[in-house]
Amino acid sequence: MPVYVDDPEAEGAWSAGAASRWWLHHSLASLDGRLRERGSRLVIARGESGSELVRLASETGAGSVYWNRLYEPALVARDTALKQRLTDCGLRARSCKGALLFEPWEILKGDGSPYGVFTPYWKQWQKNWRPPESHPEPEQLRGPESWPAGVSLDELVLLPRQDWVSSIACHWQPGELGARQRLDAFVDLAASSYREGRDLPGCDGTSRLSAHLHFGEISPGRVASALNEAGDLPAGEGRLAFLREMAWREFSTYLLYHHPHLANKPLQERYLAFPWREPGDYADDLKAWKRGRTGLPLVDAGMRQLWQTGWMHNRVRMIVASFLTKNLLIPWQEGARWFWDALVDADLGNNTQGWQWTAGCGADAAPYFRIFNPVLQGRKFDPDGDYVRRWCPELAQRPASRIHHPLRQGESVGDYPRPIVDLMGSRERALEAYTTIRNS
Ligand code: FAD
């Protein structure tokens, strides 16, 4: 009997944001549909997970409970307590590996401690790599003799404001079938052009599997098998580059698992003393950043892509995050929170790692002085300006040579704003701020 228990309280401060809740609603609907095709269905319950599972087991005579492991600190605590509770009630409780190719405790240094940087972790990961076995799907699933009462999906009230989600909805198909279609479309691309294409935000050059992976609609094992079947991994540069990104996903979860405070605090402790601006001082700049109205075209294009689709290209995520934390000196936690609410693929490990990496306070930190310049990044990775034209249509008539530049004094283009910050001056200010903690 497949069961989903809605228990947001157990997720602590990181229960699903608005875009994730939209995805979750449709993902559960799709899962129920797929199960019904095989003679089963999804039972939805609401409340404290342990009590609900014990109730459902006793109503149906189930003797065992199985689930795939999660690694977010609050969920590890919940599942540990759950295992004990179920066992105490005479049930067999068993968790399995499904969300990762390697468990966080399977890749460790010689002395048994976790890796702190990606490169040696990745080397070890590749050494341990074996193409995962794929298992056939069951054609029929047997359910209990009588199905217990649950709540309806609508009763979970997961869907947020209608006008906002209707724009997101055009871009995605949550659920297993949507994930399969993405994967099938991507397998050829992976081999041919992923290595170069993954850096160009104006092209459809990446898999867009992140939300499907996060919600467990497709496993990393299945993705890796599909790539391996298309040609031996790790041979093939495009496929290897892709596998490396999948390993980054695992490394992000790994870091969060081994450093449970990471979602809120910097990995490098000296950053606790970093002189960020105060909320009262940065509130207007933060608002302009969220709305895509900073006057820096590539930053604004990224923030609008996020708002309109629930997703943003990886290179642009790095650029908008660098702009927020370095040019605007706004704490990375503010940006991480906004992403958490707006991304359909919001994932505590990946989001935390992405923000800390860019802010310079995480593992493998881009050194603090490496401050992305959105104009130069735009000229390099969006040379014709296609990406900016798509998401900032008011700039569409600007020539490619000016498309990434902020408006000049006296220049006006529709209601597009003038830059909220001077790139060079703010860069110097960020470097000065860094000197205050550099030697601590
Ligand atoms: P592809 O390029 O097709 O990569 C395949 C898969 O590998 C992705 O689906 C993802 O699971 C994983 N992956 C790719 N790049 C990274 C990366 N840099 N770090 C970790 N895993 C990666 N990713 C999330 O899934 N959720 C987040 O909340 C998230 N927040 C981010 C915040 C910031 C500031 C930054 C810089 C990056 C963030 N990322 C996050 C990582 C990355 O941007 C996305 O995983 C990627 O853009 C998803 O698109 P894709 O599926 O087409 O990726």
Side-chain angles (χ1 to χ4, degrees):
M1 177 178 67
V3 176
Y4 175 76
V5 184
D6 187 50
D7 182 11
E9 272 181 30
E11 291 165 9
W14 295 99
S15 62
S20 299
R21 288 163 65 81
W22 170 80
W23 189 289
L24 178 61
H25 176 97
H26 293 289
S27 186
L28 292 172
S30 154
L31 177 60
D32 184 47
R34 297 279 288 158
L35 289 167
R36 283 176 194 265
E37 286 166 15
R38 288 160 175 71
S40 182
R41 69 173 77 153
L42 182 66
V43 173
I44 300 179
R46 190 171 45 182
E48 197 270 315
S49 309
S51 315
E52 286 304 305
L53 289 171
V54 170
R55 173 181 73 77
L56 290 168
S58 99
E59 280 177 28
T60 53
S64 308
V65 183
Y66 300 87
W67 66 87
N68 279 345
R69 269 175 229 123
L70 294 171
Y71 305 89
E72 292 82 350
L75 302 181
V76 171
R78 177 197 65 189
D79 293 349
T80 307
L82 184 61
K83 210 170 229 178
Q84 189 60 53
R85 169 104 181 256
L86 296 173
T87 312
D88 291 347
C89 292
L91 291 158
R92 189 171 124 90
R94 183 148 173 228
S95 62
C96 310
K97 175 164 80 172
L100 297 175
L101 289 162
F102 292 107
E103 297 286 12
W105 49 90
E106 284 176 343
I107 303 221
L108 296 170
K109 292 198 262 187
D111 64 2
S113 63
Y115 287 102
V117 284
F118 180 72
T119 308
Y121 168 88
W122 167 231
K123 277 197 187 134
Q124 191 65 26
W125 201 93
Q126 283 174 284
K127 267 195 207 150
N128 293 13
W129 158 262
R130 303 275 173 284
E133 265 178 62
S134 49
H135 301 284
E137 265 182 31
E139 283 178 12
Q140 280 297 309
L141 292 165
R142 274 184 35 219
E145 276 167 22
S146 80
W147 289 90
V151 297
S152 74
L153 181 54
D154 287 338
E155 281 173 83
L156 302 186
V157 200
L158 293 170
L159 293 177
R161 241 184 43 223
Q162 206 47 43
D163 55 341
W164 173 55
V165 286
S166 58
S167 112
I168 289 191
C170 320
H171 298 273
W172 305 102
Q173 186 190 342
E176 196 183 4
L177 290 180
R180 292 274 183 85
Q181 279 167 15
R182 287 262 180 217
L183 179 62
D184 292 347
F186 179 70
V187 168
D188 290 339
L189 190 76
S192 60
S193 60
Y194 178 76
R195 198 155 173 257
E196 301 74 34
R198 65 176 290 266
D199 261 330
L200 307 176
C203 307
D204 201 2
T206 65
S207 71
R208 301 206 184 200
L209 280 169
S210 47
H212 297 289
L213 282 162
H214 171 78
F215 283 94
E217 296 165 358
I218 195 160
S219 68
R222 185 179 278 276
V223 174
S225 306
L227 291 179
N228 198 58
E229 279 156 22
D232 275 354
L233 270 174
E237 291 196 339
R239 286 196 299 274
L240 184 61
F242 182 77
L243 196 65
R244 190 171 183 276
E245 294 312 311
M246 297 286 288
W248 263 108
R249 172 180 178 272
E250 308 230 331
F251 186 58
S252 304
T253 303
Y254 177 94
L255 288 175
L256 185 61
Y257 178 82
H258 290 293
H259 307 277
H261 65 274
L262 222 56
N264 306 308
K265 290 196 183 145
L267 184 65
Q268 297 181 40
E269 280 191 4
R270 64 196 166 128
Y271 274 84
L272 285 170
F274 190 81
W276 301 110
R277 285 161 73 201
E278 292 298 325
D281 178 38
Y282 64 63
D284 288 346
D285 288 347
L286 179 60
K287 196 163 153 191
W289 178 82
K290 287 179 180 174
R291 293 186 170 180
R293 291 191 59 79
T294 66
L296 274 305
L298 189 56
V299 173
D300 293 339
M303 297 309 293
R304 296 182 196 187
Q305 180 182 35
L306 173 62
W307 183 251
Q308 290 172 41
T309 70
W311 184 88
M312 194 194 300
H313 189 277
N314 179 59
R315 175 144 296 272
V316 191
R317 290 189 205 204
M318 294 191 288
I319 293 164
V320 303
S322 164
F323 183 75
L324 187 85
T325 54
K326 297 183 175 171
N327 298 95
L328 297 180
L329 279 191
I330 296 179
W332 60 269
Q333 291 92 334
E334 291 276 16
R337 266 287 163 199
W338 181 249
F339 270 32
W340 184 256
D341 209 35
L343 279 172
V344 289
D345 66 19
D347 177 276
L348 201 56
N350 278 355
N351 198 37
T352 303
Q353 192 279 123
W355 276 96
Q356 291 218 22
W357 185 92
T358 319
C361 57
D364 279 286
Y368 195 86
F369 52 81
R370 199 184 294 152
I371 299 175
F372 286 96
N373 179 318
V375 177
L376 301 181
Q377 289 282 311
R379 291 219 296 245
K380 184 165 179 194
F381 295 109
D382 183 34
D384 300 325
D386 296 343
Y387 180 76
V388 166
R389 274 180 242 283
R390 169 145 192 223
W391 299 107
C392 299
E394 68 270 47
L395 299 176
Q397 299 309 321
R398 289 191 110 197
S401 60
R402 296 283 316 151
I403 188 93
H404 291 291
H405 289 260
L407 299 184
R408 280 188 285 228
Q409 198 75 37
E411 190 184 7
S412 85
V413 180
D415 75 340
Y416 190 70
R418 296 193 43 72
I420 59 170
V421 76
D422 167 59
L423 282 182
M424 290 308 147
S426 58
R427 183 175 189 280
E428 291 309 314
R429 181 178 63 166
L431 293 175
E432 244 170 64
Y434 174 62
T435 56
T436 64
I437 60 154
R438 191 173 48 192
N439 301 321
S440 56

